[in-house]
Amino acid sequence: MLKRITFLVIVIVLAKPTYDFGLTLYEDAKQYLNENNINIEDATTEVISSVSNTAKDTLIYTAATVKNAELPSTVKTVEELADAFYYYFSNWETDFEITYVGSTTDIENLIESAVDLAADRDHYILGHLSNRKIEYEYGRFDAKIKVHQTYLTNAAQEQIVDEKVASILATASPESMSDFEKVKFVNDYIVKNAVYSEDSTASPHSACAVVAEGKGVCQGYALLALKMLQGLGIETKYVVGEVYTGGHAWNLVKVDGEWYHLDTTWNDPTPDRKNVVRYEYFLMNDTKMKKDHTWIQSDYPRANSKKYAFMAQIDHAYEEDGMIYYSNVNDDNILYRMNIKTGESSRLTDSRAQFIVGFGDWIYFSNYSKGAYLSKIRTDGSDETVLYKEKVENLFVEDGYLYFSTDDGLKKLEL
């Protein structure tokens, strides 16, 4: 007797909202530079790590050797059957066979239960499972189960993920970081180093595409966040639900004993704004998340705390010495500063700011109260000055220079 079961995993895609910015005048900029003797250099042809298109080496993946752990020749219970499935899933095996000895009266449900138990052991594996075909031949007290399982990744890609995640986490100091700081570290890294895109060599739904190529969709963002957060010792879950565009994925994280939602995808602006991190979907509770996300709430722990609700006001953030300098989305994008430990915040100036960076005692930003001109202000809020009367964006600091984009290309200013 032969039966066949086929399971499908739905691939999740998200389209995100866009952002608009203002205009400026070119001739005024030239006149201003002449009058104030500011040396702005052209940097369009420079190869800059922070603003290159993160051109990645072409990734060619081959099958990796399966671990040499032994499996019993036969399994006798649903738990042992789940053990066998988990073994093959965790080794990213595509074709395998399991011999079951026991009553086959309810063999179909037995296999489905074992698969569910195996997948639920590790949400990282669960999120990478794709199409599955199961065929089985059985008598009254035994069954031969043949499985063809596909994944959104493979063993070789996962070796790349492990190596890259280990390298990234090595730059942190988890022993001295709070749970909050660990989650922020992961959110910031993914947002700054990934672009929402389906144009990747690896599956854009995989963690590998996001960490190795800097491209991916919500599923890849959430799976990479899961991997990184677990590496930092943060209890994390992979959440599948829906938003207005359809299927969507994000995370639940436990911070100081409380569960919160974290959506790294929706914290990453589109079109991509280099080095710009949002926190609108950072450590949210169920009430806030339900405004534009839906999920089967009984499948996940409840998130009730409002402790970090203040983070949602932050955009274009720059962090230094325990302070965050940011564009306040709740106050017309005015430049604010916040004590990251206490959550206390105040206006730094009355100017509207975006693309905020810092160097020494100075904060640099695109001043949208003055034509999006390049401006600077001290960290204490004094000495605000316009440096360049032309629209600027995508500010970043590297090797003692402030780089920024203009309609005339990339420019730089020695600091």
Side-chain angles (χ1 to χ4, degrees):
M1 184 178 298
L2 180 67
K3 291 189 178 181
R4 177 177 296 177
I5 304 173
T6 302
F7 300 91
L8 295 178
V9 176
I10 298 175
V11 177
I12 307 169
V13 179
L14 168 69
K16 300 186 294 172
T18 58
Y19 298 80
D20 298 317
F21 304 105
L23 300 174
T24 189
L25 297 175
Y26 180 75
E27 292 302 327
D28 286 349
K30 301 302 182 184
Q31 180 180 352
Y32 182 84
L33 291 179
N34 291 333
E35 292 173 353
N36 291 274
N37 195 29
I38 297 172
N39 184 27
I40 303 294
E41 302 177 50
D42 185 83
T44 303
T45 60
E46 292 190 23
V47 179
I48 305 299
S49 60
S50 299
V51 298
S52 66
N53 291 325
T54 57
K56 305 293 180 181
D57 295 334
T58 301
L59 300 176
I60 301 175
Y61 305 110
T62 57
T65 303
V66 177
K67 297 175 184 177
N68 292 320
E70 293 185 3
L71 277 176
S73 57
T74 60
V75 297
K76 299 178 181 180
T77 66
V78 66
E79 290 78 14
E80 290 181 356
L81 184 55
D83 290 341
F85 272 107
Y86 181 74
Y87 168 83
Y88 290 115
F89 289 168
S90 62
N91 283 279
W92 312 105
E93 285 271 26
T94 54
D95 292 284
F96 53 92
E97 183 176 301
I98 304 170
T99 300
Y100 168 78
V101 176
S103 173
T104 59
T105 302
D106 197 19
I107 186 65
E108 191 167 311
N109 287 330
L110 181 76
I111 293 172
E112 289 190 36
S113 296
V115 168
D116 290 343
L117 286 171
D120 196 50
R121 291 184 187 181
D122 188 333
H123 279 199
Y124 183 80
I125 293 174
L126 172 64
H128 282 97
L129 295 176
S130 187
N131 294 347
R132 179 183 310 120
K133 180 175 73 173
I134 299 178
E135 297 178 341
Y136 52 92
E137 297 175 337
Y138 65 97
R140 290 181 61 191
F141 298 106
D142 66 302
K144 183 177 291 186
I145 305 165
K146 297 181 179 180
V147 182
H148 176 71
Q149 175 69 58
T150 60
Y151 307 89
L152 300 172
T153 186
N154 60 39
Q157 292 178 12
E158 287 311 303
Q159 184 175 351
I160 293 172
V161 172
D162 289 343
E163 291 173 354
K164 287 190 174 292
V165 166
S167 177
I168 296 163
L169 298 187
T171 66
S173 302
E175 64 282 350
S176 62
M177 297 170 72
S178 66
D179 287 354
F180 171 87
E181 290 169 329
K182 291 175 182 178
V183 177
K184 186 175 181 298
F185 173 85
V186 171
N187 179 79
D188 292 3
Y189 180 87
I190 293 174
V191 171
K192 288 181 179 180
N193 291 277
V195 176
Y196 188 88
S197 172
E198 296 183 69
D199 183 21
S200 57
T201 302
S203 168
H205 305 276
S206 70
C208 187
V210 180
V211 75
E213 301 178 68
K215 301 175 182 178
V217 297
C218 59
Q219 192 165 351
Y221 276 61
L223 290 169
L224 177 58
L226 175 73
K227 184 87 168 182
M228 293 177 68
L229 287 162
Q230 288 180 335
L232 290 173
I234 298 295
E235 188 174 352
T236 311
K237 295 186 180 296
Y238 172 71
V239 183
V240 176
E242 291 189 355
V243 292
Y244 66 94
T245 54
H248 188 51
W250 65 95
N251 301 101
L252 274 162
V253 297
K254 184 179 278 189
V255 174
D256 298 329
E258 296 279 356
W259 286 101
Y260 300 88
H261 294 271
L262 172 69
D263 192 338
T264 52
T265 310
W266 279 27
N267 284 334
D268 191 4
T270 53
D272 189 62
R273 294 184 283 170
K274 291 177 173 48
N275 295 317
V276 174
V277 182
R278 301 171 66 222
Y279 298 94
E280 188 175 357
Y281 295 89
F282 181 86
L283 301 185
M284 296 179 66
N285 61 23
D286 287 345
T287 301
K288 290 286 188 181
M289 202 68 174
K290 283 191 293 187
K291 290 183 177 180
D292 44 29
H293 291 59
T294 60
W295 65 101
I296 301 175
Q297 296 182 49
S298 59
D299 289 349
Y300 304 96
R302 298 189 65 180
N304 297 319
S305 176
K306 299 178 181 179
K307 182 176 180 179
Y308 297 106
F310 63 86
M311 292 294 292
Q313 68 186 288
I314 296 174
D315 199 4
H316 292 267
Y318 168 74
E319 182 179 345
E320 185 68 28
D321 295 332
M323 302 294 289
I324 296 180
Y325 302 87
Y326 65 98
S327 176
N328 191 330
V329 297
N330 294 337
D331 189 14
D332 198 28
N333 297 108
I334 299 296
L335 179 59
Y336 271 63
R337 65 179 177 183
M338 175 187 292
N339 185 309
I340 198 169
K341 292 189 179 298
T342 66
E344 295 178 359
S345 62
S346 60
R347 279 192 177 195
L348 195 65
T349 174
D350 291 332
S351 297
R352 297 170 60 237
Q354 294 189 8
F355 304 105
I356 301 163
V357 297
F359 186 83
D361 293 331
W362 292 95
I363 300 298
Y364 299 86
F365 59 99
S366 179
N367 190 332
Y368 276 77
S369 294
K370 296 181 179 178
Y373 296 160
L374 176 63
S375 298
K376 71 174 183 178
I377 189 171
R378 292 191 183 275
T379 54
D380 63 5
S382 63
D383 298 333
E384 181 174 350
T385 308
V386 173
L387 296 177
Y388 187 53
K389 286 189 175 181
E390 184 175 343
K391 175 188 174 183
V392 301
E393 56 186 12
N394 299 329
L395 279 66
F396 69 96
V397 174
E398 187 167 297
D399 297 331
Y401 282 90
L402 172 67
Y403 289 85
F404 51 91
S405 299
T406 72
D407 291 338
D408 195 34
L410 184 66
K411 306 291 183 183
K412 68 179 183 179
L413 169 66
E414 187 173 8
L415 299 174

